[in-house]
Amino acid sequence: MSDLFESNEILQKLPEHLKQFIKPQNYEDYSAIDQAVWRYVMRKNVDFLSKVAHSSYLDGLKQTGISIDNIPNMYGMNRILKDIGWAAVAVDGFIPPNAFMEFQAYNILVIASDIRQLEHIEYTPAPDIIHEGAGHAPIIANPEYAEYLRRFGEIGCKAISSSKDYQLYEAVRHLSIIKEAPNSSEKDIALAEKAVEDLQQNMGAPSEMALIRNLHWWTVEYGLIGTIENPKIYGAGLLSSIGESAWCMTNEVEKLPYNINATYKDFDITKPQPQLFVTPNFAHLSLILEEFANTMSLRKGGLSGVNKLIESNALGTIELSTGLQISGILSNVIEHEGKPIYIQTTGKTALAYREKELVGHGTSTHLEGFGSPIGKLKGINIAIEDMSPRDLAAYHIYEEKIVTLEFEGGIVVSGEIITGKRNLQGKIILISFKNCTVTHNNTVLFKPDWGNYDMAVGKDIVSAFSGVADLNSFDLITHKTSSNTIHVKKSEKRLALESLYQQVRDYREGTNKTISRTKVLEELIDKHTNDWLLPVELYELAHLGNELELCEKILSHLEGIKQNNPKLGRLIDDGLEIIQSKINI
């Protein structure tokens, strides 16, 4: 896997399960058309965003080594990003939300290395290198914002998803792929859009992941900063969209003060946003994030947290008041008076303390699940974890004693104590029994012939979160996507057009000054009538060389393209305006 990227001290800290999402950038696969698309968007963005973006944007472009003229090379970016404590990796489009946020927690920027088609130059629903590299990277040079992004990842990757969230992720990923693919039919796109719409309308109560993704969208992707009357752009989705970055500044887009209410505002990735939220400063983002985190099971635990993990049907962890952490797929909970009194996992389970697996209590020991009572003993005010050695002796809770422990709510554990484990504060966190029976009323939860019984000790569940406590306890390299970015074989006509773009690029960069730009224009007019971006690039060269006759020919050709395809008019005019204004970009 390490051959996919050039490692540095930041990437070396990345856990193995995240490396499965990394792919090679394959820089040589970018065509001259791709480079021209990058250059057009960046020139237009820097021209416009210098007026409406947060000041960190232009400063960040310089600090992160992002060129206006060339698609960034991940290796080069990493050498510069490490100076601000970050790194970048290439991935294939959307990756699962928990993984995306976990990368952020490690100060790693995830960059979808593909680039949008010329036909989708203004906006693409698929993440691409323009969105990630030109949108996200520059802003992280701001230390306050970078810390917000890291902290967001740290909290966000613990958010619990519902089972429907992953279905929606796959549907959105599929939609983004086929909308960007050059050979997709309108029928296929319509079916994919309907699949996303149907799922969105039948999600039920929003999960923690759905809610925190809303916060991510309205800040990291589509955030404004400053005042309602005079906001500036900092969200990557706006910074990388040459259409929406201008439209969002108009009165047609409602501006709202950013607060916790943004958590409940859904979004549609396929359409421009009708409203945006304005934060007064980057520090305010962190305040709202902490406010939301206080509502999460990560900090609240309890019955609600257990039920969220059960609904997710995915690996999750509960942490008890003793610090004992139980990681696995939660399958059942018995409750009493609004509190969990017994939890059960299914399949491989591991026990840990402070994110480190307890010796002898990995998945090989708890291969078929783990169950344990939670709470205090019936009629005894002091919890087991708070008992002194004298208390434990008084209640016969020590080695080689046959004991019956009846918990509040009716869970009964009867057996011979083998041993116990304590945490660093000396509190008992686990008691092991042999010849043990566990019951709840008339239901048998554990039988002696099942082997030794390990009972977790804890009066409360203080935390419940997505993922596992010790990353080494489970094989997490299991991700399989249902769809991959589509790369179609290029036609002869497309290859010929790319060759023309390359000739103009070589001329501009001085690697080949013998090229006849007049002949390139003639071939464009003859064989690639609807291409508009290369004529704009040719006009730039002719304009700089004061070649008036060639300028007139190009302008006449572009005028014909505008008449035949009015939708391209604004793109052409904007490109010409940047050239003619002679702004030093």
Side-chain angles (χ1 to χ4, degrees):
M1 181 64 69
S2 60
D3 62 339
L4 298 185
F5 56 90
E6 183 179 285
S7 189
N8 60 31
E9 58 190 34
I10 298 166
L11 291 172
Q12 285 167 4
K13 297 175 183 177
L14 198 64
E16 290 298 318
H17 74 279
L18 289 180
K19 293 179 184 178
Q20 68 185 311
F21 298 103
I22 301 174
K23 58 168 276 189
Q25 185 184 20
N26 295 331
Y27 194 87
E28 65 279 0
D29 288 348
Y30 296 121
S31 70
I33 296 178
D34 296 331
Q35 295 284 1
V37 167
W38 169 272
R39 187 169 182 266
Y40 177 91
V41 173
M42 290 302 296
R43 283 161 62 87
K44 183 167 168 36
N45 273 5
V46 172
D47 175 44
F48 178 70
L49 294 174
S50 61
K51 308 176 188 72
V52 299
H54 187 264
S55 59
S56 296
Y57 176 75
L58 292 179
D59 294 339
L61 279 177
K62 299 171 186 174
Q63 282 187 258
T64 51
I66 294 174
S67 164
I68 291 173
D69 289 320
N70 301 289
I71 295 171
N73 186 306
M74 217 71 69
Y75 299 136
M77 278 186 69
N78 270 327
R79 283 192 289 273
I80 297 170
L81 283 172
K82 71 178 181 181
D83 292 337
I84 58 174
W86 280 71
V89 294
V91 298
D92 180 26
F94 284 113
I95 63 173
N98 288 87
F100 179 87
M101 293 188 187
E102 194 173 357
F103 271 107
Q104 283 184 196
Y106 283 92
N107 280 25
I108 292 173
L109 189 64
V110 172
I111 294 181
S113 58
D114 286 307
I115 189 167
R116 66 194 65 177
Q117 296 178 73
L118 175 56
E119 293 76 15
H120 301 157
I121 196 168
E122 287 192 279
Y123 173 78
T124 173
D128 74 335
I129 198 163
I130 293 178
H131 171 77
E132 313 283 7
H136 285 295
I139 298 296
I140 64 171
N142 180 293
E144 183 80 40
Y145 181 75
E147 174 55 20
Y148 167 71
L149 203 62
R150 185 203 66 79
R151 183 68 174 150
F152 199 108
E154 193 172 52
I155 292 171
C157 71
K158 301 292 186 184
I160 301 172
S161 301
S162 71
S163 56
K164 289 184 177 180
D165 282 336
Y166 195 77
Q167 296 176 40
L168 181 60
Y169 153 72
E170 288 286 8
V172 169
R173 176 180 165 83
H174 176 64
L175 172 61
S176 71
I177 287 172
I178 67 167
K179 285 196 82 168
E180 184 60 26
N183 60 346
S184 297
S185 68
E186 292 297 324
K187 179 181 178 182
D188 287 342
I189 292 173
L191 287 172
E193 287 177 334
K194 187 175 188 308
V196 170
E197 185 179 344
D198 289 347
L199 279 169
Q200 287 176 329
Q201 293 177 353
N202 293 281
M203 293 295 289
S207 68
E208 289 179 352
M209 179 54 74
L211 294 175
I212 202 167
R213 282 185 67 218
N214 285 348
L215 287 187
H216 195 271
W217 183 263
W218 298 122
T219 61
V220 176
E221 298 293 353
Y222 277 79
L224 299 176
I225 187 169
T227 63
I228 298 293
E229 297 74 25
N230 185 31
K232 299 293 184 182
I233 296 171
Y234 74 91
L238 296 172
L239 292 173
S240 60
S241 172
I242 57 179
E244 202 162 0
S245 58
W247 187 66
C248 78
M249 290 286 105
T250 68
N251 292 331
E252 293 181 59
V253 178
E254 185 181 9
K255 315 297 192 303
L256 302 169
Y258 179 63
N259 54 41
I260 197 67
N261 294 332
T263 312
Y264 299 96
K265 193 67 178 177
D266 294 329
F267 58 87
D268 184 343
I269 69 163
T270 65
K271 300 174 183 175
Q273 308 308 311
Q275 77 287 303
L276 296 172
F277 293 88
V278 185
T279 183
N281 48 57
F282 287 139
H284 183 68
L285 299 179
S286 296
L287 292 177
I288 302 302
L289 175 62
E290 293 300 324
E291 186 178 347
F292 176 75
N294 286 334
T295 70
M296 292 173 61
S297 300
L298 175 66
R299 295 184 179 174
K300 297 183 74 173
L303 179 62
S304 172
V306 176
N307 281 328
K308 288 178 183 178
L309 284 177
I310 291 172
E311 184 190 354
S312 75
N313 194 33
L315 280 174
T317 298
I318 60 169
E319 182 173 327
L320 306 185
S321 47
T322 54
L324 181 69
Q325 297 165 315
I326 303 165
S327 298
I329 297 179
L330 270 288
S331 57
N332 191 33
V333 61
I334 300 173
E335 60 180 281
H336 176 70
E337 296 181 350
K339 292 184 177 181
I341 59 171
Y342 195 89
I343 59 94
Q344 180 68 52
T345 68
T346 297
K348 294 179 179 180
T349 304
L351 309 183
Y353 179 71
R354 292 190 172 181
E355 287 76 49
K356 186 175 181 180
E357 184 181 293
L358 291 182
V359 176
H361 290 281
T363 58
S364 59
T365 299
H366 305 291
L367 191 61
E368 297 179 358
F370 178 87
S372 180
I374 307 293
K376 295 167 68 175
L377 296 174
K378 185 177 181 180
I380 301 175
N381 288 329
I382 188 168
I384 294 176
E385 65 204 70
D386 296 324
M387 289 183 178
S388 67
R390 183 175 296 178
D391 294 326
L392 292 169
Y395 293 111
H396 305 292
I397 305 175
Y398 57 93
E399 288 84 348
E400 299 182 354
K401 277 288 183 180
I402 297 174
V403 66
T404 296
L405 303 176
E406 184 176 356
F407 288 80
E408 293 176 344
I411 302 293
V412 178
V413 178
S414 297
E416 181 180 343
I417 296 177
I418 302 171
T419 187
K421 286 186 179 289
R422 296 177 182 269
N423 65 15
L424 294 176
Q425 287 73 42
K427 293 184 176 184
I428 291 181
I429 61 175
L430 191 72
I431 300 174
S432 297
F433 296 81
K434 64 180 179 181
N435 299 322
C436 186
T437 301
V438 183
T439 60
H440 176 243
N441 298 329
N442 296 322
T443 302
V444 177
L445 303 174
F446 192 90
K447 299 177 181 180
D449 57 3
W450 292 357
N452 292 339
Y453 180 71
D454 297 302
M455 185 185 81
V457 176
K459 58 190 173 187
D460 295 302
I461 295 174
V462 298
S463 181
F465 55 87
S466 176
V468 301
D470 187 337
L471 297 175
N472 296 314
S473 294
F474 293 81
D475 176 12
L476 301 175
I477 307 176
T478 57
H479 179 70
K480 291 182 176 63
T481 57
S482 61
S483 54
N484 293 310
T485 300
I486 299 169
H487 297 281
V488 298
K489 185 177 180 180
K490 296 175 182 177
S491 66
E492 290 296 324
K493 184 176 181 180
R494 176 72 177 192
L495 290 172
L497 180 60
E498 286 183 3
S499 175
L500 294 177
Y501 269 85
Q502 188 63 55
Q503 289 180 50
V504 172
R505 183 174 178 81
D506 290 343
Y507 186 93
R508 186 177 63 248
E509 293 180 347
T511 58
N512 188 348
K513 287 291 188 179
T514 65
I515 295 164
S516 169
R517 285 149 301 134
T518 301
K519 286 185 178 180
V520 170
L521 178 64
E522 288 172 353
E523 190 167 346
L524 274 173
I525 294 172
D526 182 39
K527 297 179 180 177
H528 309 281
T529 312
N530 295 320
D531 183 84
W532 63 271
L533 181 54
L534 190 54
V536 169
E537 292 212 330
L538 283 170
Y539 179 80
E540 179 187 8
L541 296 176
H543 183 74
L544 290 172
N546 202 28
E547 299 172 83
L548 300 181
E549 185 178 346
L550 183 56
C551 284
E552 288 300 321
K553 286 182 180 179
I554 296 169
L555 290 176
S556 175
H557 175 56
L558 287 171
E559 194 61 39
I561 294 175
K562 287 161 62 174
Q563 290 177 4
N564 293 329
N565 194 339
K567 290 183 179 180
L568 297 177
R570 184 166 52 81
L571 290 170
I572 293 170
D573 289 343
D574 288 350
L576 295 175
E577 183 181 347
I578 291 172
I579 296 165
Q580 292 166 344
S581 63
K582 297 182 181 178
I583 294 175
N584 184 23
I585 297 175

